[in-house]
Amino acid sequence: MARFVFITGGVVSSLGKGIASAALGALLQARGYSVRLRKLDPYLNVDPGTMSPYQHGEVYVTDDGTETDLDLGHYERFTGVAATRADNATTGRIYSEVIAKERRGDYLGATVQVIPHITDAIKETILYETEGLDFVLVEIGGTVGDIESLPFLEAIRQLGNELGPERSMFVHLTLVPYIPSAGELKTKPTQHSVKELLNVGIQPDMLLCRCDRPIPQSQRQKIASFCNVRPEAVIAALDMDTIYAVPISYHEEGMDREVLRHFGLPDKPEIDLSRWHEIVAAIRNPEGSVRIAIVGKYMNLRDSYKSLAEALTHGGIANRVGVELDWVDSEIFEQPNAVERLEDVHGILVPGGFGERGTEGKIAAVRFARERRVPFLGICFGMQMAVIECARNLAGLPGASSTEFGPCETPVVGLLTEWMRGNEIERRHEGSNLGGTMRLGAYPARLEPGSLAWETYGKQAEISERHRHRYEVNIHYRNRLEAAGLRFSGLSPDGLLPEIIEYPDHPWFIGVQFHPELKSKPFAPHPLFRGFIAAAVRQARLV
Ligand code: GLN
């Protein structure tokens, strides 16, 4: 039967609870245990799909097409375990399920209340499909003390009681700040945060203390005695130069040993962290570096492109180079000659995006990459912009655009209302609500033998990648675009949806309709990022 580790956060947000959970998952895995990670988010949106990247950062998409919190991306990157719809729930989703049941009469006339109906629904969500696993790590979003997270805390308190300490453990992440005027690390915020948890009936078993320097033994002792935890269970979560060093650091602090001790499991066999040491060594000792321009819209908010930044780092690991990211707001390229700013980069990436603002600047960046033979990777919206650029500047279709921006003369990118998924036809309607009109999740694509995409993917005939978009490159323009030099090197199995485009006469130019960054791992860099960074290295004439 699965053991449950509940991870809460206190003091302030942004302490890295997602990475902490992912790192613990990686450590338990390195001990030979099976793990699954889950996140419960206290907001009322049913999922983050309709939330602006400004508000919530990236929307991470799973194979089964669920739009989830970006922490699920960390879980997958650290453990390699593919997440599903069951691994992320929000207050909005829990309530909508409970209210739907109430409308159906499932509660047989009972008064429907937060306790027990909402808390029961939360407990079911936590326990769902966990049979046969060694560990389930459940991260509670938000900070203790927030009104919104109370039902989640109540639910895990009850579960802890029902499962008993042999099958449940509470880990609380707090901040231990260094106060320069006192010359000391301060434990008071941690003490207060633990009091908040105790108020809702949860006694943490372990404290993970985020700090910028080692915690002296005396302070550790103080935290332990004030907060009622073993001194060995006060774990310093030190700031790291790379997130991939976090599992190693937690292990050195004794975190996994202490978790095993809590569950009465042996401290054996010896842990194998070689994969993490190799990754960290590659990041810390690069043999040169390349500069990649990312030309997009939400450039001042790095969380909106979390997986993308990580995947580029993975491409760097694969080629043993550092990857310097130059985030450029595409609107600046709408001024004459501004695009020359791209002169000194070794690769240009146009990422996913929505809406018309800044598109002319993206198209200018694509043109620069094509004409100046700079390695180019276009992702989703980036591929659509590359197709529009080709149509306008090479295929003699000056009115080419996407119907995403309104009706246009030559819709080389447009809304498709039905397509095949396996043997089934899926449909969407222009008028249906925003939450339900996207092509989401894993779809297969066939690669054209001999193409750069096919080479890059190690000559695989068929691949599967994750999607999140409404519009498609219109296959009816294929001949016209191919005559202009573009190659359609990846298509959906029915041949109707363009999935990959490239220019055979360019050193490295690929556009993909899907999001390869979602599947890249530090220990298994995605082939497209490996290939793109390798091309950037050649561009920089490092090899
Ligand atoms: N806005 C485009 C579409 O909906 C691209 C989406 C994306 O880049 N994820 O098709």
Side-chain angles (χ1 to χ4, degrees):
M1 287 227 273
R3 301 162 190 89
F4 291 81
V5 181
F6 300 107
I7 298 133
T8 54
V11 187
V12 289
S13 59
S14 305
L15 289 181
K17 213 166 356 122
I19 305 254
S21 308
L24 175 59
L27 288 178
L28 292 168
Q29 237 185 7
R31 291 272 189 175
Y33 293 106
S34 61
V35 297
R36 183 154 181 181
L37 285 101
R38 294 210 151 141
K39 171 118 197 246
L40 301 176
D41 277 309
Y43 50 76
L44 283 171
N45 305 60
V46 172
D47 64 44
T50 51
M51 284 161 97
S52 155
Y54 288 116
Q55 295 265 325
H56 194 258
E58 167 183 277
V59 174
Y60 188 76
V61 182
T62 56
D63 278 333
D64 67 5
T66 313
E67 297 178 286
T68 71
D69 185 78
L70 58 78
D71 278 328
L72 274 80
H74 293 310
Y75 304 166
E76 284 202 16
R77 282 189 284 276
F78 276 72
T79 65
V81 178
T84 73
R85 179 181 151 80
D87 297 321
N88 191 197
T90 66
T91 298
R93 192 163 116 199
I94 305 271
Y95 269 78
S96 52
E97 282 167 12
V98 169
I99 291 169
K101 272 181 152 179
E102 187 274 331
R103 292 289 83 188
R104 279 202 309 268
D106 291 4
Y107 296 113
L108 306 172
T111 307
V112 180
Q113 292 176 301
V114 174
I115 303 171
H117 301 97
I118 295 296
T119 46
D120 281 353
I122 296 171
K123 288 196 281 182
E124 269 169 41
T125 304
I126 293 172
L127 296 171
Y128 182 71
E129 280 184 353
T130 54
E131 282 305 309
L133 286 165
D134 295 322
F135 284 97
V136 180
L137 276 48
V138 183
E139 178 188 346
I140 312 295
T143 311
V144 292
D146 295 347
I147 292 175
E148 290 91 342
S149 49
L150 280 176
F152 290 111
L153 297 175
E154 171 60 15
I156 62 170
R157 182 196 67 75
Q158 292 180 15
L159 255 186
N161 192 34
E162 288 158 25
L163 297 167
E166 336 57 83
R167 286 191 56 209
S168 66
M169 178 177 187
F170 292 94
V171 175
H172 189 54
L173 175 65
T174 71
L175 177 69
V176 177
Y178 178 77
I179 306 295
S181 58
E184 271 191 339
L185 284 167
K186 289 293 182 186
T187 66
K188 194 69 86 191
T190 298
Q191 297 176 39
H192 281 297
S193 183
V194 170
K195 279 218 182 83
E196 284 285 350
L197 256 191
L198 283 170
N199 270 340
V200 295
I202 296 174
Q203 164 66 53
D205 300 300
M206 173 181 282
L207 294 172
L208 198 51
C209 303
R210 186 74 193 265
C211 50
D212 67 355
R213 63 202 66 208
I215 304 177
Q217 197 50 36
S218 58
Q219 301 292 86
R220 204 179 280 258
Q221 200 64 49
K222 191 168 164 188
I223 296 173
S225 67
F226 278 113
C227 302
N228 227 0
V229 298
R230 287 160 41 83
E232 297 80 6
V234 177
I235 306 290
L238 282 156
D239 295 350
M240 289 283 128
D241 56 341
T242 155
I243 53 172
Y244 301 118
V246 172
I248 298 169
S249 164
Y250 284 2
H251 172 67
E252 285 166 358
E253 281 285 322
M255 187 191 204
D256 45 316
R257 195 182 336 110
E258 192 57 26
V259 171
L260 297 183
R261 199 206 67 89
H262 174 94
F263 289 107
L265 294 165
D267 185 14
K268 292 254 181 283
E270 223 3 88
I271 194 162
D272 179 11
L273 290 179
S274 51
R275 132 202 286 203
W276 296 103
H277 283 290
E278 280 162 29
I279 291 164
V280 171
I283 292 175
R284 288 189 182 149
N285 311 300
E287 292 158 8
S289 87
V290 292
R291 195 161 45 256
I292 304 295
I294 302 176
V295 183
K297 192 156 74 168
Y298 312 103
M299 290 299 114
N300 46 3
L301 231 146
R302 299 300 142 77
D303 268 3
S304 8
Y305 292 109
K306 195 91 219 163
S307 296
L308 181 63
E310 292 308 321
L312 285 162
T313 304
H314 305 163
I317 294 172
N319 290 282
R320 269 204 106 87
V321 290
V323 180
E324 199 188 306
L325 303 182
D326 185 5
W327 302 86
V328 196
D329 189 329
S330 63
E331 274 181 308
I332 67 163
F333 296 143
E334 290 169 10
Q335 305 304 322
N337 299 328
V339 80
E340 297 294 327
R341 181 184 184 291
L342 293 171
E343 201 109 79
D344 58 350
V345 301
H346 311 123
I348 297 173
L349 193 152
V350 178
F354 292 84
E356 189 169 16
R357 184 165 66 79
T359 50
E360 292 306 320
K362 292 180 190 177
I363 292 169
V366 175
R367 181 174 194 166
F368 184 93
R370 177 175 61 75
E371 291 181 343
R372 303 288 189 93
R373 303 177 66 75
V374 181
F376 173 83
L377 179 58
I379 294 179
C380 204
F381 203 56
M383 156 161 159
Q384 298 174 358
M385 295 302 111
V387 169
I388 293 171
E389 193 277 325
C390 174
R392 286 187 193 171
N393 300 325
L394 294 176
L397 298 165
S401 190
S402 166
T403 57
E404 179 172 355
F405 320 136
C408 70
E409 192 184 313
T410 317
V412 288
V413 179
L415 192 72
L416 210 90
T417 48
E418 47 178 68
W419 67 89
M420 299 297 288
R421 184 170 205 153
N423 294 324
E424 287 186 21
I425 297 179
E426 288 197 9
R427 292 195 173 80
R428 61 188 151 186
H429 310 281
E430 203 141 5
S432 53
N433 66 17
L434 278 185
T437 52
M438 293 227 221
R439 183 147 80 102
L440 284 168
Y443 282 85
R446 299 231 167 103
L447 303 182
E448 183 137 319
S451 64
L452 174 61
W454 177 78
E455 289 285 346
T456 306
Y457 273 96
K459 309 192 175 167
Q460 285 184 67
E462 191 169 301
I463 56 163
S464 169
E465 293 281 4
R466 297 183 191 170
H467 291 247
R468 181 176 186 252
H469 57 103
R470 273 187 201 100
Y471 299 86
E472 306 283 350
V473 170
N474 190 335
I475 192 74
H476 295 120
Y477 291 95
R478 179 178 183 173
N479 291 344
R480 190 83 190 248
L481 293 164
E482 288 204 321
L486 198 68
R487 178 174 191 177
F488 285 58
S489 51
L491 291 166
S492 58
D494 63 7
L496 295 179
L497 304 176
E499 295 277 6
I500 310 182
I501 51 120
E502 60 187 72
Y503 283 107
D505 62 353
H506 187 284
W508 208 96
F509 189 111
I510 289 187
V512 294
Q513 186 56 73
F514 44 81
H515 288 275
E517 71 275 24
L518 301 178
K519 285 180 55 170
S520 188
K521 314 276 187 299
F523 42 82
H526 191 286
L528 285 171
F529 287 92
R530 177 194 294 266
F532 177 54
I533 298 299
V537 171
R538 290 193 291 276
Q539 180 79 4
R541 297 194 210 303
L542 289 173
V543 287

